[in-house]
Amino acid sequence: MVILPFHKHVRLDRTWETTRNEYRLINKKVMEEAPCSVAILVDRGLGGATRVSSSDFSLAITVLFFGGNDDREALAFAVRMAEHPGISLTVVRFIPSEEFKPENVKLEITEDQTGSCSRETRLVDIEAITELKAKLKEEECQIIYEEKIVKCHEEICKAMNEYSRSNLFLVGKSPEGSVASGLHVMRSDTPELGPVGSLLTSSESVSTSASVLVVQQYLASRDSQVVGVLKNVKKEVTPVEDTESP
């Protein structure tokens, strides 16, 4: 995975300042043409200015999982990061309630394609979560898995705010699934961050000073699905309803 720096940095008053606009052009080019997964790091003081030894290192990471290729790639990368003894990982999966309706959700997002996913994608998402739950049973596992049942914009933001003290958020650039399909598209000046990344960095609805890593999974062909889960996934999986937990 190639990790690129965001072209803006945060001032002391928490407003954004563009430092190197040419970085944005480079980032866009890499995200379009790189033969691998790519991530953009919005660094808001991650790790601080003081160097510490690996034994004293600690970091709280939160993955916001809606579903889809990019979200699974972010999850897989976070799980690998959690192998470090100083990292604690929380995975938050958003599930639509019975009352959930797309028009109930209004987030400030971008021009990216964010929406409903195919039945195959839903099944692969469930397989990834099933693998994660199996990993939770391992000794010395430092991963916490939680599910948030949401029905509206306010509940999504409220859930995100519960993890505002995290040091780092990992999110997919283009989330998919029932909840993601309800995100109303609005123009943003940072489409490279995707809807959730933009919400975490520029929305008044979510208050956090955490850094954000926005992940885009590499697709060999934009017309074919490529899965990014914790391990290789068999093609045949047991069908499970989208609104039910595995």
Side-chain angles (χ1 to χ4, degrees), residues 4-23:
L4 305 169
F6 191 45
H7 67 283
K8 296 182 180 182
H9 78 273
V10 181
R11 296 173 175 173
L12 295 178
D13 60 0
R14 297 189 64 184
T15 60
W16 290 100
E17 178 183 19
T18 299
T19 52
R20 299 291 295 274
N21 196 53
E22 59 268 28
Y23 284 3

Side-chain angles (χ1 to χ4, degrees), residues 195-223:
V196 184
S198 295
L199 185 63
L200 290 169
T201 57
S202 61
S203 172
E204 296 180 357
S205 301
V206 179
S207 178
T208 180
S209 59
S211 297
V212 181
L213 187 68
V214 181
V215 179
Q216 174 185 276
Q217 185 193 53
Y218 169 66
L219 297 180
S221 171
R222 291 296 175 181
D223 296 326

Side-chain angles (χ1 to χ4, degrees), residues 83-98:
E83 295 177 0
H84 189 288
I87 291 179
S88 60
L89 171 63
T90 300
V91 178
V92 184
R93 182 188 180 198
F94 290 90
I95 299 176
S97 69
E98 294 182 356

Side-chain angles (χ1 to χ4, degrees), residues 65 71-80 83 89 91 124-125 127-136 138 143 217 227-233:
F65 187 89
D71 278 28
R72 291 195 302 273
E73 188 77 357
L75 173 61
F77 188 62
V79 169
R80 291 195 293 270
E83 295 177 0
L89 171 63
V91 178
V124 178
D125 286 343
E127 178 70 11
I129 294 298
T130 301
E131 293 176 19
L132 175 66
K133 288 184 174 181
K135 194 173 186 65
L136 300 181
E138 298 178 3
I143 302 176
Q217 185 193 53
V227 300
V229 293
L230 308 186
K231 62 180 181 181
N232 292 329
V233 178

Side-chain angles (χ1 to χ4, degrees), residues 5 22 30 33 44-45 56 61 64-65 85 91 94 109 116 135 149-150 154 171 176 193 211 218-219 226 234 238:
E22 59 268 28
V30 173
E33 301 185 6
R44 294 197 278 196
D56 296 326
I61 298 177
L64 302 178
F65 187 89
V91 178
F94 290 90
I109 64 173
S116 59
K135 194 173 186 65
I149 300 176
V150 297
E154 287 75 16
V171 301
E176 302 176 43
L193 298 183
S211 297
Y218 169 66
L219 297 180
V226 178
K234 296 180 180 179
T238 303

Side-chain angles (χ1 to χ4, degrees), residues 24-237:
R24 184 177 192 178
L25 300 177
I26 295 173
N27 290 353
K28 185 176 185 294
K29 194 72 172 179
V30 173
M31 296 186 80
E32 290 175 348
E33 301 185 6
C36 63
S37 295
V38 179
I40 290 184
L41 175 62
V42 182
D43 189 353
R44 294 197 278 196
L46 183 64
T50 304
R51 300 185 65 177
V52 297
S53 63
S54 58
S55 60
D56 296 326
F57 177 80
S58 64
L59 195 69
I61 298 177
T62 298
V63 173
L64 302 178
F65 187 89
F66 292 84
N69 295 326
D70 292 351
D71 278 28
R72 291 195 302 273
E73 188 77 357
L75 173 61
F77 188 62
V79 169
R80 291 195 293 270
M81 293 177 68
E83 295 177 0
H84 189 288
I87 291 179
S88 60
L89 171 63
T90 300
V91 178
V92 184
R93 182 188 180 198
F94 290 90
I95 299 176
S97 69
E98 294 182 356
E99 299 82 13
F100 176 86
K101 294 181 180 179
E103 59 266 25
N104 285 343
V105 184
K106 296 181 180 180
L107 303 183
E108 179 181 349
I109 64 173
T110 69
E111 60 196 16
D112 276 2
Q113 294 296 322
T114 301
S116 59
C117 57
S118 66
R119 180 173 177 273
E120 179 183 354
T121 297
R122 291 198 302 270
L123 295 178
V124 178
D125 286 343
I126 291 172
E127 178 70 11
I129 294 298
T130 301
E131 293 176 19
L132 175 66
K133 288 184 174 181
K135 194 173 186 65
L136 300 181
K137 300 177 182 179
E138 298 178 3
E139 293 184 7
E140 300 182 358
C141 180
Q142 300 184 90
I143 302 176
I144 298 173
Y145 172 74
E146 298 179 351
E147 294 181 346
K148 298 293 182 180
I149 300 176
V150 297
K151 64 179 180 181
C152 62
H153 164 64
E154 287 75 16
E155 291 188 358
I156 293 176
C157 293
K158 180 180 178 181
M160 291 184 180
N161 277 310
E162 291 179 14
Y163 307 93
S164 61
R165 293 184 178 275
S166 302
N167 300 116
L168 176 67
F169 283 99
L170 264 72
V171 301
K173 178 175 179 284
S174 300
E176 302 176 43
S178 297
V179 176
S181 68
L183 307 183
H184 285 228
V185 177
M186 296 177 63
R187 287 288 175 177
S188 169
D189 63 350
T190 56
E192 61 268 47
L193 298 183
V196 184
S198 295
L199 185 63
L200 290 169
T201 57
S202 61
S203 172
E204 296 180 357
S205 301
V206 179
S207 178
T208 180
S209 59
S211 297
V212 181
L213 187 68
V214 181
V215 179
Q216 174 185 276
Q217 185 193 53
Y218 169 66
L219 297 180
S221 171
R222 291 296 175 181
D223 296 326
S224 63
Q225 286 193 337
V226 178
V227 300
V229 293
L230 308 186
K231 62 180 181 181
N232 292 329
V233 178
K234 296 180 180 179
K235 293 184 179 180
E236 296 182 3
V237 293

